[in-house]
Coordinates of all heavy atoms in Angstrom, one line a residue:
M1 N 32.9 -4.4 -40.4 CA 31.8 -3.6 -39.8 C 30.6 -3.6 -40.7 O 30.7 -3.4 -41.9 CB 32.3 -2.2 -39.6 CG 31.5 -1.4 -38.6 SD 32.4 0.0 -38.0 CE 31.2 1.3 -38.1
P2 N 29.4 -3.9 -40.2 CA 28.2 -4.0 -41.1 C 27.9 -2.6 -41.7 O 28.1 -1.6 -41.1 CB 27.1 -4.4 -40.1 CG 27.6 -4.3 -38.8 CD 29.1 -4.1 -38.8
V3 N 27.3 -2.7 -42.9 CA 26.9 -1.4 -43.6 C 25.7 -0.9 -43.0 O 24.7 -1.6 -42.7 CB 26.6 -1.7 -45.1 CG1 26.2 -0.5 -45.8 CG2 27.9 -2.4 -45.7
E4 N 25.7 0.4 -42.6 CA 24.6 1.1 -41.9 C 23.5 1.5 -42.9 O 22.3 1.3 -42.7 CB 25.1 2.3 -41.2 CG 26.2 2.0 -40.2 CD 25.7 1.4 -38.9 OE1 24.5 1.6 -38.6 OE2 26.4 0.6 -38.3
K5 N 23.9 2.1 -44.1 CA 23.0 2.6 -45.0 C 23.4 2.4 -46.4 O 24.6 2.6 -46.7 CB 22.8 4.1 -44.8 CG 22.1 4.5 -43.6 CD 21.9 6.0 -43.6 CE 21.2 6.5 -42.3 NZ 21.0 7.9 -42.2
L6 N 22.5 1.9 -47.3 CA 22.9 1.7 -48.7 C 21.9 2.6 -49.5 O 20.8 2.8 -49.2 CB 22.7 0.3 -49.1 CG 23.7 -0.7 -48.5 CD1 23.2 -2.1 -48.6 CD2 25.1 -0.5 -49.1
H7 N 22.5 3.2 -50.6 CA 21.7 4.1 -51.4 C 21.5 3.6 -52.9 O 22.5 3.0 -53.4 CB 22.5 5.4 -51.5 CG 22.6 6.1 -50.2 ND1 23.5 5.8 -49.2 CD2 21.9 7.2 -49.7 CE1 23.3 6.5 -48.2 NE2 22.4 7.4 -48.4
Y8 N 20.3 3.8 -53.4 CA 20.0 3.4 -54.8 C 19.2 4.5 -55.4 O 18.2 4.9 -54.9 CB 19.2 2.1 -54.7 CG 19.8 1.0 -53.9 CD1 19.5 0.9 -52.5 CD2 20.6 0.0 -54.5 CE1 20.0 -0.1 -51.7 CE2 21.2 -1.0 -53.7 CZ 20.9 -1.0 -52.3 OH 21.4 -2.0 -51.5
T9 N 19.6 5.0 -56.5 CA 18.9 6.2 -57.1 C 18.5 5.9 -58.5 O 19.1 5.1 -59.3 CB 19.8 7.4 -57.0 OG1 19.1 8.6 -57.4 CG2 21.1 7.3 -57.9
N10 N 17.4 6.6 -58.9 CA 17.0 6.7 -60.3 C 17.4 8.0 -60.9 O 16.9 8.4 -62.0 CB 15.5 6.3 -60.5 CG 14.6 7.4 -59.9 OD1 15.1 8.4 -59.4 ND2 13.3 7.2 -60.0
G11 N 18.1 8.8 -60.2 CA 18.5 10.1 -60.6 C 17.7 11.2 -60.1 O 18.1 12.4 -59.9
E12 N 16.4 10.9 -59.7 CA 15.5 11.8 -59.2 C 15.2 11.6 -57.8 O 15.0 12.6 -57.0 CB 14.2 11.7 -60.1 CG 13.2 12.8 -60.0 CD 12.1 12.6 -61.0 OE1 11.1 11.9 -60.6 OE2 12.2 13.1 -62.1
V13 N 15.1 10.4 -57.4 CA 14.8 10.0 -56.0 C 15.9 9.0 -55.6 O 16.3 8.1 -56.4 CB 13.4 9.5 -55.8 CG1 13.2 8.1 -56.4 CG2 13.1 9.4 -54.3
T14 N 16.3 9.0 -54.3 CA 17.3 8.0 -53.8 C 16.6 7.3 -52.7 O 16.1 7.8 -51.7 CB 18.6 8.7 -53.3 OG1 19.2 9.4 -54.4 CG2 19.6 7.7 -52.8
I15 N 16.6 5.9 -52.9 CA 16.1 5.0 -51.8 C 17.3 4.8 -50.9 O 18.4 4.5 -51.3 CB 15.7 3.7 -52.4 CG1 14.6 3.9 -53.5 CG2 15.3 2.7 -51.4 CD1 14.3 2.7 -54.3
V16 N 17.0 4.9 -49.6 CA 18.0 4.5 -48.6 C 17.5 3.3 -47.8 O 16.3 3.2 -47.4 CB 18.1 5.7 -47.5 CG1 19.2 5.3 -46.5 CG2 18.5 7.0 -48.2
W17 N 18.4 2.3 -47.8 CA 18.0 1.0 -47.1 C 19.0 0.8 -45.9 O 20.2 0.8 -46.1 CB 18.1 -0.2 -48.0 CG 17.7 -1.5 -47.4 CD1 16.5 -1.8 -46.7 CD2 18.4 -2.7 -47.3 NE1 16.5 -3.1 -46.3 CE2 17.7 -3.6 -46.6 CE3 19.7 -3.0 -47.8 CZ2 18.1 -4.9 -46.4 CZ3 20.2 -4.3 -47.6 CH2 19.4 -5.3 -46.9
Q18 N 18.4 0.6 -44.7 CA 19.2 0.3 -43.5 C 19.0 -1.1 -43.1 O 18.0 -1.5 -42.5 CB 18.8 1.3 -42.4 CG 19.0 2.7 -42.7 CD 18.6 3.6 -41.6 OE1 19.3 3.7 -40.6 NE2 17.5 4.3 -41.7
P19 N 20.0 -2.0 -43.5 CA 19.8 -3.4 -43.3 C 19.5 -3.8 -41.9 O 18.7 -4.7 -41.6 CB 21.2 -4.0 -43.7 CG 21.8 -2.9 -44.6 CD 21.2 -1.6 -44.2
K20 N 20.1 -3.1 -40.9 CA 19.9 -3.4 -39.5 C 18.4 -3.3 -39.1 O 18.0 -3.9 -38.1 CB 20.8 -2.6 -38.6 CG 22.2 -3.0 -38.5 CD 22.9 -2.0 -37.6 CE 24.2 -2.6 -37.1 NZ 24.9 -1.5 -36.3
L21 N 17.7 -2.4 -39.8 CA 16.3 -2.1 -39.4 C 15.3 -3.0 -40.1 O 14.1 -3.1 -39.8 CB 15.9 -0.7 -39.7 CG 16.7 0.4 -38.9 CD1 16.2 1.8 -39.3 CD2 16.6 0.2 -37.4
C22 N 15.8 -3.7 -41.2 CA 14.9 -4.5 -42.0 C 14.4 -5.8 -41.2 O 15.2 -6.5 -40.7 CB 15.6 -5.0 -43.3 SG 14.6 -5.9 -44.4
I23 N 13.1 -5.9 -41.2 CA 12.5 -7.1 -40.5 C 12.0 -8.2 -41.5 O 11.3 -9.1 -41.2 CB 11.3 -6.7 -39.6 CG1 10.2 -6.0 -40.4 CG2 11.8 -5.8 -38.4 CD1 8.9 -5.7 -39.6
H24 N 12.4 -8.0 -42.8 CA 12.2 -8.9 -43.8 C 10.7 -9.3 -44.0 O 10.3 -10.5 -44.1 CB 13.0 -10.2 -43.7 CG 14.5 -9.8 -43.5 ND1 15.2 -9.4 -44.6 CD2 15.3 -9.8 -42.4 CE1 16.5 -9.1 -44.2 NE2 16.5 -9.3 -42.9
S25 N 9.8 -8.3 -43.9 CA 8.4 -8.5 -44.0 C 8.0 -8.9 -45.5 O 7.0 -9.5 -45.7 CB 7.7 -7.2 -43.7 OG 7.9 -6.2 -44.6
G26 N 8.9 -8.4 -46.4 CA 8.6 -8.7 -47.8 C 7.6 -7.8 -48.5 O 7.2 -7.9 -49.6
N27 N 7.1 -6.8 -47.7 CA 6.2 -5.8 -48.3 C 6.7 -5.2 -49.6 O 6.0 -5.1 -50.6 CB 5.9 -4.7 -47.3 CG 5.0 -5.1 -46.2 OD1 4.9 -6.3 -45.9 ND2 4.4 -4.1 -45.5
C28 N 7.9 -4.8 -49.6 CA 8.5 -4.1 -50.7 C 8.6 -5.0 -51.9 O 8.3 -4.7 -53.1 CB 9.9 -3.5 -50.4 SG 11.1 -4.6 -49.7
V29 N 9.0 -6.3 -51.7 CA 9.2 -7.2 -52.8 C 7.9 -7.6 -53.4 O 7.8 -7.7 -54.6 CB 9.9 -8.5 -52.2 CG1 10.0 -9.6 -53.2 CG2 11.3 -8.1 -51.7
R30 N 6.9 -7.7 -52.6 CA 5.5 -8.0 -53.1 C 4.9 -6.8 -53.8 O 4.2 -6.9 -54.8 CB 4.6 -8.5 -52.0 CG 4.9 -9.9 -51.6 CD 3.8 -10.4 -50.6 NE 3.7 -9.6 -49.4 CZ 4.4 -9.8 -48.3 NH1 5.4 -10.7 -48.3 NH2 4.3 -9.0 -47.3
G31 N 5.1 -5.6 -53.2 CA 4.5 -4.4 -53.7 C 5.1 -3.8 -55.0 O 4.3 -3.3 -55.8
L32 N 6.4 -3.9 -55.1 CA 7.0 -3.3 -56.3 C 8.2 -4.2 -56.7 O 9.4 -3.8 -56.5 CB 7.5 -1.9 -56.0 CG 7.8 -1.0 -57.1 CD1 6.7 -0.9 -58.1 CD2 8.2 0.4 -56.6
P33 N 7.9 -5.4 -57.2 CA 9.0 -6.4 -57.5 C 10.0 -6.0 -58.6 O 11.1 -6.5 -58.7 CB 8.2 -7.7 -57.9 CG 6.8 -7.2 -58.2 CD 6.6 -6.0 -57.5
R34 N 9.6 -5.0 -59.4 CA 10.5 -4.5 -60.5 C 11.7 -3.8 -59.8 O 12.8 -3.8 -60.3 CB 9.8 -3.5 -61.4 CG 8.9 -4.2 -62.4 CD 8.2 -3.1 -63.3 NE 7.2 -2.5 -62.5 CZ 6.9 -1.2 -62.5 NH1 7.7 -0.4 -63.1 NH2 5.9 -0.7 -61.8
V35 N 11.5 -3.2 -58.6 CA 12.5 -2.5 -58.0 C 13.2 -3.3 -56.8 O 14.4 -3.3 -56.7 CB 11.9 -1.2 -57.4 CG1 13.0 -0.5 -56.5 CG2 11.5 -0.2 -58.5
F36 N 12.3 -4.0 -56.1 CA 12.8 -4.8 -54.9 C 12.8 -6.2 -55.3 O 11.7 -6.8 -55.3 CB 12.0 -4.5 -53.7 CG 11.9 -3.0 -53.3 CD1 10.9 -2.2 -53.7 CD2 13.0 -2.4 -52.6 CE1 10.8 -0.8 -53.4 CE2 12.9 -1.1 -52.3 CZ 11.9 -0.3 -52.7
N37 N 13.9 -6.8 -55.5 CA 14.0 -8.2 -56.0 C 15.2 -8.9 -55.2 O 16.3 -8.7 -55.6 CB 14.2 -8.3 -57.5 CG 14.2 -9.7 -58.0 OD1 14.3 -10.7 -57.2 ND2 14.1 -9.9 -59.3
N38 N 14.9 -9.7 -54.2 CA 16.0 -10.2 -53.4 C 16.7 -11.4 -54.1 O 17.6 -12.0 -53.5 CB 15.5 -10.6 -52.0 CG 14.3 -11.4 -52.0 OD1 13.9 -12.0 -53.0 ND2 13.6 -11.6 -50.9
R39 N 16.3 -11.7 -55.4 CA 17.0 -12.7 -56.1 C 18.1 -12.1 -57.0 O 18.8 -12.8 -57.7 CB 16.1 -13.5 -57.0 CG 15.1 -14.3 -56.2 CD 14.4 -15.4 -57.0 NE 13.4 -16.0 -56.2 CZ 12.1 -16.1 -56.5 NH1 11.7 -15.7 -57.7 NH2 11.2 -16.7 -55.8
T40 N 18.2 -10.8 -57.0 CA 19.2 -10.2 -57.9 C 20.2 -9.3 -57.0 O 19.8 -9.0 -55.8 CB 18.6 -9.2 -58.9 OG1 17.9 -8.2 -58.3 CG2 17.6 -10.0 -59.8
R41 N 21.3 -9.0 -57.5 CA 22.2 -8.1 -56.8 C 22.6 -7.0 -57.7 O 23.0 -7.3 -58.9 CB 23.5 -8.9 -56.4 CG 23.2 -9.9 -55.3 CD 22.8 -9.2 -54.0 NE 22.4 -10.1 -52.9 CZ 21.2 -10.6 -52.7 NH1 20.2 -10.2 -53.4 NH2 21.0 -11.4 -51.7
P42 N 22.6 -5.7 -57.3 CA 22.0 -5.3 -56.0 C 20.5 -5.6 -56.0 O 19.8 -5.7 -57.0 CB 22.2 -3.8 -56.0 CG 22.4 -3.4 -57.4 CD 23.0 -4.6 -58.1
W43 N 19.9 -5.8 -54.8 CA 18.5 -6.3 -54.7 C 17.5 -5.1 -55.0 O 16.4 -5.4 -55.1 CB 18.3 -7.0 -53.4 CG 18.1 -6.1 -52.2 CD1 19.0 -5.4 -51.5 CD2 16.8 -5.8 -51.6 NE1 18.4 -4.7 -50.5 CE2 17.1 -4.9 -50.5 CE3 15.5 -6.2 -51.8 CZ2 16.1 -4.4 -49.7 CZ3 14.5 -5.7 -51.0 CH2 14.8 -4.8 -49.9
I44 N 18.0 -3.9 -54.9 CA 17.2 -2.7 -55.2 C 17.7 -2.1 -56.5 O 18.8 -1.8 -56.7 CB 17.2 -1.7 -54.1 CG1 16.6 -2.3 -52.8 CG2 16.4 -0.5 -54.5 CD1 16.7 -1.4 -51.6
N45 N 16.7 -1.9 -57.5 CA 17.0 -1.3 -58.8 C 16.1 -0.1 -58.9 O 14.9 -0.3 -59.4 CB 17.0 -2.2 -59.9 CG 17.4 -1.6 -61.2 OD1 17.6 -0.4 -61.3 ND2 17.6 -2.4 -62.3
A46 N 16.5 1.1 -58.5 CA 15.6 2.2 -58.5 C 15.2 2.7 -59.9 O 14.2 3.5 -60.1 CB 16.2 3.4 -57.8
E47 N 15.9 2.2 -60.9 CA 15.6 2.7 -62.3 C 14.4 2.0 -62.9 O 14.0 2.3 -64.0 CB 16.8 2.4 -63.2 CG 18.1 3.1 -62.6 CD 18.9 3.8 -63.6 OE1 18.7 3.6 -64.7 OE2 19.7 4.6 -63.1
E48 N 13.8 1.0 -62.2 CA 12.8 0.2 -62.8 C 11.4 0.7 -62.5 O 10.4 0.1 -62.9 CB 12.9 -1.2 -62.3 CG 14.0 -2.0 -62.8 CD 14.0 -2.2 -64.3 OE1 12.9 -2.4 -64.8 OE2 15.0 -2.1 -65.0
A49 N 11.2 1.9 -61.8 CA 9.9 2.4 -61.5 C 10.0 3.9 -61.5 O 11.1 4.5 -61.4 CB 9.4 1.9 -60.2
S50 N 8.8 4.5 -61.6 CA 8.7 6.0 -61.5 C 9.0 6.4 -60.0 O 8.8 5.7 -59.1 CB 7.4 6.5 -62.0 OG 6.4 6.1 -61.0
T51 N 9.3 7.7 -59.9 CA 9.6 8.2 -58.6 C 8.4 8.1 -57.7 O 8.5 7.7 -56.5 CB 10.0 9.7 -58.7 OG1 11.3 9.7 -59.4 CG2 10.2 10.4 -57.4
I52 N 7.2 8.4 -58.2 CA 6.0 8.3 -57.3 C 5.7 6.9 -56.9 O 5.4 6.6 -55.7 CB 4.7 8.9 -58.0 CG1 3.6 9.0 -57.1 CG2 4.4 8.2 -59.3 CD1 3.7 9.9 -56.0
E53 N 6.0 5.9 -57.8 CA 5.8 4.5 -57.4 C 6.8 4.1 -56.3 O 6.4 3.4 -55.3 CB 6.0 3.6 -58.6 CG 5.0 3.6 -59.6 CD 5.3 2.7 -60.8 OE1 6.4 3.0 -61.5 OE2 4.6 1.8 -61.1
I54 N 8.0 4.6 -56.4 CA 9.0 4.3 -55.4 C 8.6 4.9 -54.0 O 8.7 4.3 -53.0 CB 10.4 4.8 -55.8 CG1 10.9 3.9 -57.0 CG2 11.4 4.9 -54.7 CD1 12.1 4.4 -57.7
V55 N 8.2 6.2 -54.1 CA 7.9 6.9 -52.8 C 6.7 6.2 -52.1 O 6.8 6.0 -50.9 CB 7.6 8.4 -53.1 CG1 6.9 9.1 -51.9 CG2 8.8 9.1 -53.6
E56 N 5.7 5.8 -52.9 CA 4.5 5.2 -52.3 C 4.9 3.9 -51.6 O 4.5 3.5 -50.6 CB 3.5 5.0 -53.3 CG 2.7 6.3 -53.7 CD 1.7 6.2 -54.7 OE1 1.5 5.1 -55.3 OE2 1.0 7.2 -55.0
Q57 N 5.8 3.1 -52.3 CA 6.2 1.8 -51.8 C 7.1 2.0 -50.5 O 6.9 1.3 -49.5 CB 6.9 0.9 -52.8 CG 7.1 -0.5 -52.4 CD 5.8 -1.2 -52.0 OE1 4.9 -1.2 -52.8 NE2 5.8 -1.8 -50.8
V58 N 8.0 2.9 -50.6 CA 9.0 3.1 -49.5 C 8.2 3.5 -48.3 O 8.5 3.0 -47.1 CB 10.0 4.1 -49.9 CG1 10.7 4.7 -48.7 CG2 11.0 3.6 -50.9
N59 N 7.1 4.3 -48.4 CA 6.3 4.7 -47.3 C 5.5 3.6 -46.6 O 5.0 3.7 -45.6 CB 5.4 5.8 -47.7 CG 6.1 7.2 -47.9 OD1 7.1 7.4 -47.3 ND2 5.5 8.1 -48.7
K60 N 5.5 2.4 -47.3 CA 4.8 1.3 -46.7 C 5.7 0.3 -46.0 O 5.2 -0.7 -45.4 CB 4.1 0.5 -47.8 CG 2.9 1.3 -48.5 CD 2.3 0.5 -49.6 CE 1.2 1.3 -50.3 NZ 0.9 0.8 -51.7
C61 N 7.0 0.6 -45.9 CA 7.9 -0.2 -45.1 C 7.6 -0.2 -43.7 O 7.5 0.9 -43.1 CB 9.3 0.2 -45.4 SG 10.5 -0.6 -44.4
P62 N 7.3 -1.3 -43.0 CA 6.8 -1.3 -41.7 C 7.8 -1.0 -40.6 O 7.5 -0.6 -39.5 CB 6.2 -2.7 -41.5 CG 7.0 -3.5 -42.4 CD 7.3 -2.7 -43.6
S63 N 9.1 -1.1 -41.0 CA 10.1 -1.0 -39.9 C 10.9 0.3 -40.0 O 11.7 0.6 -39.1 CB 11.1 -2.2 -40.1 OG 11.9 -2.0 -41.3
G64 N 10.7 1.0 -41.1 CA 11.6 2.2 -41.3 C 12.9 1.9 -41.9 O 13.8 2.8 -42.0
A65 N 13.1 0.7 -42.3 CA 14.4 0.3 -43.0 C 14.5 1.1 -44.3 O 15.6 1.3 -44.8 CB 14.5 -1.2 -43.2
L66 N 13.4 1.3 -45.0 CA 13.4 2.1 -46.2 C 13.0 3.5 -46.0 O 12.1 3.8 -45.3 CB 12.4 1.5 -47.2 CG 12.8 0.1 -47.8 CD1 11.6 -0.4 -48.7 CD2 14.1 0.1 -48.6
S67 N 13.8 4.4 -46.6 CA 13.4 5.8 -46.6 C 13.9 6.4 -48.0 O 14.5 5.6 -48.8 CB 14.0 6.6 -45.4 OG 15.5 6.5 -45.5
F68 N 13.7 7.7 -48.2 CA 14.1 8.2 -49.5 C 14.4 9.7 -49.3 O 13.9 10.3 -48.3 CB 13.0 8.0 -50.6 CG 11.8 8.9 -50.3 CD1 11.7 10.2 -50.8 CD2 10.7 8.4 -49.6 CE1 10.6 10.9 -50.6 CE2 9.6 9.2 -49.3 CZ 9.5 10.5 -49.9
F69 N 15.1 10.2 -50.3 CA 15.2 11.7 -50.4 C 15.3 12.0 -51.9 O 15.6 11.2 -52.7 CB 16.4 12.2 -49.6 CG 17.8 11.7 -50.1 CD1 18.4 12.3 -51.2 CD2 18.4 10.7 -49.4 CE1 19.7 11.8 -51.6 CE2 19.6 10.2 -49.9 CZ 20.3 10.8 -50.9
Y70 N 14.8 13.2 -52.2 CA 14.8 13.7 -53.6 C 16.2 14.2 -53.9 O 16.8 15.0 -53.1 CB 13.8 14.8 -53.8 CG 12.4 14.2 -53.7 CD1 11.6 14.5 -52.6 CD2 11.9 13.4 -54.7 CE1 10.3 14.0 -52.5 CE2 10.6 12.9 -54.6 CZ 9.8 13.2 -53.5 OH 8.5 12.7 -53.4
T71 N 16.8 13.7 -55.0 CA 18.2 14.1 -55.3 C 18.3 15.6 -55.5 O 19.4 16.1 -55.1 CB 18.5 13.3 -56.6 OG1 18.1 12.0 -56.5 CG2 20.0 13.4 -56.9
A72 N 17.3 16.3 -56.0 CA 17.5 17.7 -56.1 C 17.7 18.4 -54.8 O 18.4 19.4 -54.6 CB 16.2 18.3 -56.8
D73 N 17.0 17.9 -53.7 CA 17.2 18.4 -52.4 C 18.6 18.3 -51.9 O 19.2 19.2 -51.2 CB 16.2 17.8 -51.4 CG 14.8 18.1 -51.6 OD1 14.6 19.1 -52.3 OD2 13.9 17.4 -51.2
E74 N 19.2 17.1 -52.2 CA 20.6 16.9 -51.7 C 21.5 17.9 -52.4 O 22.4 18.5 -51.8 CB 21.0 15.4 -52.1 CG 22.4 15.1 -51.6 CD 22.8 13.8 -52.1 OE1 22.6 13.5 -53.3 OE2 23.4 13.0 -51.3
I75 N 21.3 18.1 -53.7 CA 22.2 19.0 -54.4 C 22.0 20.5 -53.9 O 23.0 21.2 -53.7 CB 21.8 19.0 -56.0 CG1 22.2 17.6 -56.5 CG2 22.5 20.1 -56.7 CD1 21.7 17.3 -57.9
K76 N 20.8 20.8 -53.5 CA 20.5 22.1 -53.0 C 21.3 22.4 -51.7 O 21.7 23.5 -51.4 CB 19.0 22.2 -52.7 CG 18.5 23.6 -52.7 CD 17.0 23.6 -52.8 CE 16.4 22.7 -51.7 NZ 14.9 22.5 -51.8
D77 N 21.5 21.3 -50.9 CA 22.1 21.4 -49.6 C 23.7 21.5 -49.7 O 24.3 21.9 -48.7 CB 21.8 20.2 -48.7 CG 20.3 20.2 -48.3 OD1 19.7 21.3 -48.4 OD2 19.8 19.2 -47.9
I78 N 24.3 21.2 -50.8 CA 25.7 21.3 -50.9 C 26.2 22.7 -50.9 O 25.7 23.6 -51.5 CB 26.2 20.5 -52.2 CG1 25.9 19.0 -52.0 CG2 27.7 20.7 -52.4 CD1 26.1 18.2 -53.3
Ligands
SF4_101 S1 9.3 -3.5 -46.6 FE1 11.0 -2.8 -45.2 S2 11.1 -4.3 -43.6 FE2 10.0 -5.2 -45.2 S3 11.5 -6.4 -46.4 FE3 11.3 -4.3 -47.4 S4 12.9 -3.1 -46.4 FE4 12.6 -4.9 -45.1

């Protein structure tokens, strides 16, 4: 069964990637290559940029394949 959602965190923010929604525009790879690098595995490394850089780039994903949540919010909900 295909993976619906993958999570990558820098401890402060968690990037969520939904492969089925990705249209491979390459926006993320061009915009923040330290984090989004499809030549490495895993292809997302959230520890390579600040939270604000990640949030700004994730918000530019044209398909909605990328989203994020703040880790502190998740802990608050438990
Ligand atoms: S910006 Fe979004 S749609 Fe484009 S490659 Fe990245 S994850 Fe996929």
Side-chain angles (χ1 to χ4, degrees):
M1 198 159 136
V3 180
E4 303 283 332
K5 289 183 180 179
L6 293 164
H7 294 77
Y8 308 88
T9 189
N10 68 1
E12 199 172 83
V13 67
T14 297
I15 301 168
V16 182
W17 181 55
Q18 298 182 71
K20 279 180 164 176
L21 297 182
C22 181
I23 58 171
H24 306 287
S25 68
N27 285 22
C28 55
V29 175
R30 286 189 300 275
L32 198 54
R34 283 176 286 134
V35 171
F36 303 96
N37 182 347
N38 52 13
R39 295 197 185 127
T40 62
R41 291 293 177 268
W43 80 282
I44 297 177
N45 185 351
E47 307 224 342
E48 290 296 322
S50 68
T51 294
I52 187 67
E53 288 176 299
I54 289 171
V55 167
E56 285 178 359
Q57 189 59 52
V58 164
N59 283 337
K60 292 177 187 162
C61 174
S63 70
L66 290 176
S67 58
F68 70 89
F69 60 84
Y70 293 107
T71 310
D73 291 341
E74 185 187 42
I75 292 167
K76 205 168 48 188
D77 289 343
I78 293 175

